[in-house]
Amino acid sequence: MTIKSTLKYLATLLLAVLLTSGTAFASLTSESRAALSQLKSQNSAAAKVSSRALAVLVFPNVVKAGFLVGAQEGQGTLFVRGNVAGRYRTVAGSYGLQAGVQKFGYALFFMNQKAVDWINNTRGWEIGTGPSVVLVDKGMARSFTTDTMHSGIYAFTFDQRGLMAGLGIQGSKISRID
C-alpha cells in the first residue's frame, strides 16, 4: 500500500467517523454528564477541581486519526453550576511523525469568572491563546490538592481507546455550536 493510498484510506475513515459522530442534544448532554461523573469517581484530583469549578466543558467522545497528517473532532457540553449552558465542538489538525486512530474524552474545568467569561465571549478559541490551561496527568493528580490550584483552567483526559503513536504539532480549536 502506498503512502498516497494510505492517506486516502485514513482520510475516508476519519470522514466516516466524523460524519457518524453527531449526536442529538439530549444524548450529548447525558453522555457528557455520565463521562463527568465517571471521571470524578475515578480521579480524585478531578473530583477536587470539580468541587471548586464555576463551569465544566466535557467532550465525552473525541476521535483522532492520522498518518503523517491527522485530525480530531468531538462535541461537548458546557455545564455552569450543573446546568447546561451550551454545546461546543473541538477540532484539531496535526502533522508530524504520527499514525493511528484513537478515541478519548476530556474535560476542561473553569476555575474563575475570567475563564468562564473567556469561553462565553469568544466565537472560537484555541487552547493556549486564552487563560492558561494546566493538563493534569496521572503523576500530578497524585499530589494535587485544593491548595495547589492556581490556574484558570484545568484539563483532564479520560477513557482513551485505540492507538495513536508519534510526535506532532497540534492546534486545538473550540467553538460554540448552539
Side-chain angles (χ1 to χ4, degrees), residues 59-77:
F59 293 99
N61 292 305
V62 178
V63 177
K64 181 177 183 178
F67 181 76
L68 300 178
V69 175
Q72 77 179 36
E73 192 270 345
Q75 292 186 6
T77 305

Side-chain angles (χ1 to χ4, degrees), residues 46-178:
K48 289 173 190 170
V49 171
S50 181
S51 70
R52 296 258 180 113
L54 297 181
V56 182
L57 178 54
V58 183
F59 293 99
N61 292 305
V62 178
V63 177
K64 181 177 183 178
F67 181 76
L68 300 178
V69 175
Q72 77 179 36
E73 192 270 345
Q75 292 186 6
T77 305
L78 176 67
F79 299 102
V80 177
R81 294 183 176 89
N83 298 313
V84 175
R87 290 187 312 149
Y88 288 78
R89 170 172 282 127
T90 180
V91 295
S94 57
Y95 63 91
L97 299 174
Q98 60 184 325
V101 177
Q102 183 179 46
K103 190 172 185 181
F104 63 96
Y106 72 92
L108 299 171
F109 293 84
F110 297 86
M111 305 308 293
N112 56 45
Q113 193 59 49
K114 181 179 177 181
V116 174
D117 291 344
W118 174 258
I119 194 168
N120 285 328
N121 296 330
T122 56
R123 296 184 48 81
W125 56 283
E126 292 181 35
I127 291 182
T129 61
S132 65
V133 177
V134 174
L135 177 62
V136 181
D137 62 16
K138 290 180 182 178
M140 181 181 180
R142 282 191 288 272
S143 63
F144 200 82
T145 69
T146 54
D147 293 333
T148 61
M149 288 191 269
H150 301 292
S151 182
I153 304 172
Y154 288 93
F156 290 81
T157 60
F158 56 88
D159 202 21
Q160 295 164 323
R161 290 167 279 167
L163 181 62
M164 186 71 180
L167 305 168
I169 298 169
Q170 182 176 31
S172 183
K173 184 170 182 173
I174 298 172
S175 303
R176 190 172 181 126
I177 55 177
D178 72 346

